Amino acid sequence: MKNIVNTAWTEIQPPPRTVGRANYLTAITKVEENQQVNLVEIIDVEKVLAEIIDYDVSISEHTLDRSLLPHLAAKKSLSSMTLQRLVIKSRGH
């Protein structure tokens, strides 16, 4: 990463279909720097981290909404961990 740039959501485009799905690319955009327009690839940082860092997604059973357990049983990703936290917060715990 060279720098962080703020941009409008209207400037963010989906990746080309030709790149397939077996990658980390989630979007692309163009950024002008030094009077030159550069194509910027936006990657799925959560997916990258999930593959390189061993993390604990366990949560105590008394705080988890049991109706969601069947949906989360086979998941081990940061996204499911985020969902679990949202469930807990929505229940006021």
Side-chain angles (χ1 to χ4, degrees), residues 8-56:
W9 280 110
T10 56
E11 300 298 318
I12 308 295
Q13 301 297 315
R17 294 180 192 260
T18 55
V19 297
R21 293 181 154 231
N23 59 60
Y24 303 107
L25 187 62
T26 59
I28 60 172
T29 192
K30 293 179 182 176
V31 174
E32 186 174 340
E33 182 180 45
N34 299 326
Q35 299 178 342
Q36 182 177 355
V37 177
N38 298 305
L39 184 65
V40 177
E41 297 177 336
I42 301 169
I43 63 168
D44 185 342
V45 176
E46 284 187 349
K47 184 176 179 181
V48 172
L49 291 175
E51 291 184 11
I52 64 172
I53 297 174
D54 188 29
Y55 52 91
D56 182 10

Side-chain angles (χ1 to χ4, degrees), residues 53-70:
I53 297 174
D54 188 29
Y55 52 91
D56 182 10
V57 296
S58 62
I59 190 165
S60 61
E61 289 194 29
H62 70 277
T63 59
L64 180 63
D65 184 342
R66 290 197 168 281
S67 67
L68 294 177
L69 286 177

Side-chain angles (χ1 to χ4, degrees), residues 60-88:
S60 61
E61 289 194 29
H62 70 277
T63 59
L64 180 63
D65 184 342
R66 290 197 168 281
S67 67
L68 294 177
L69 286 177
H71 303 287
L72 301 174
K75 306 274 186 205
K76 184 181 180 188
S77 70
L78 293 177
S79 296
S80 64
M81 185 171 69
T82 301
L83 176 59
Q84 290 175 0
R85 287 186 179 150
L86 289 174
V87 171
I88 292 168

